Amino acid sequence: MNPVVTLRKLLTAPLPAVTLYVGVMILLLFLIASSLSDIFSKRADVAASAAMLEQFEGRRPAAVRAQAPDGTGPAGSPFLEGATVTVAGAALLQRVTAAVTKLDGNVLSSQVDLQGTQSKAGFLTIIASCDIDQPGLQQLLYDVEAGMPFLFVDQLVVQAPASFAASGDGKLRILLAVSGQWRGAK
């Protein structure tokens, strides 16, 4: 018996042909289901990212949203305003203090550094020690760095009170160094 003829008979017989056809169809259905599953998974990821973006945009302060309705960025000068370096340093200190007190925090001490390592480049730095609740820390950092003028958190040291670990009560003690660029007298 010739093996080619036997193979041809086997492939042309109805039962093996139907079995092969059903097997190919099951494989194709599996590939279609797998592709659809991937598409739905990616759509869910996009929807989750869009929801997170809406949440972040909703957290922006209303003043920042009102300043930039077209989405180009907040309006205002990126530099610290002030006729003298002392006035600009006071404005920087006032902005950080306002951000801390808005979140029911207390500024314990502060220092304006006009002679720092970055002072030659026109940067002013303040160092503030404050107490703030743990949930307000992220909002404080956002409030300081968002908007105009551009401010940068150079140093952040956070110390939790000893009772915080056991009970979760108490305020965090924060040492915060914030800098901004002053363009000089006009």
Side-chain angles (χ1 to χ4, degrees):
M1 193 179 266
N2 189 354
V4 174
V5 173
T6 308
L7 183 62
R8 190 173 291 155
K9 282 184 182 181
L10 185 62
L11 290 177
T12 58
L15 183 60
V18 169
T19 306
L20 183 63
Y21 178 77
V22 169
V24 168
M25 294 311 279
I26 289 173
L27 180 65
L28 288 174
L29 288 174
F30 175 74
L31 288 174
I32 290 170
S34 175
S35 297
L36 288 175
S37 172
D38 287 345
I39 289 171
F40 289 136
S41 172
K42 290 182 194 269
R43 288 186 77 193
D45 290 344
V46 168
S49 296
M52 187 180 300
L53 178 63
E54 287 176 11
Q55 181 182 8
F56 286 148
E57 287 177 347
R59 284 187 180 174
R60 287 194 305 182
V64 173
R65 282 190 301 252
Q67 290 174 353
D70 59 353
T72 59
S77 173
F79 300 101
L80 292 170
E81 298 294 327
T84 65
V85 70
T86 307
V87 173
L92 176 59
L93 182 60
Q94 182 180 12
R95 177 157 168 202
V96 172
T97 302
V100 170
T101 55
K102 181 178 104 174
L103 299 169
D104 296 326
N106 299 316
V107 177
L108 304 173
S109 66
S110 61
Q111 169 185 338
V112 179
D113 187 12
L114 303 176
Q115 304 297 325
T117 57
Q118 295 183 349
S119 64
K120 292 181 182 176
F123 280 87
L124 302 177
T125 302
I126 65 144
I127 301 170
S129 175
C130 55
D131 286 338
I132 193 166
D133 290 328
Q134 188 270 333
L137 177 59
Q138 182 179 4
Q139 186 64 38
L140 172 66
L141 294 174
Y142 179 82
D143 288 347
V144 167
E145 289 189 330
M148 293 289 180
F150 291 139
L151 299 181
F152 307 97
V153 175
D154 295 327
Q155 181 180 14
L156 175 67
V157 179
V158 180
Q159 180 182 6
S163 64
F164 189 76
S167 66
D169 296 333
K171 291 189 173 192
L172 300 173
R173 169 103 12 122
I174 298 171
L175 180 66
L176 186 67
V178 178
S179 64
Q181 189 170 15
W182 178 61
R183 73 175 124 184
K186 293 182 182 178

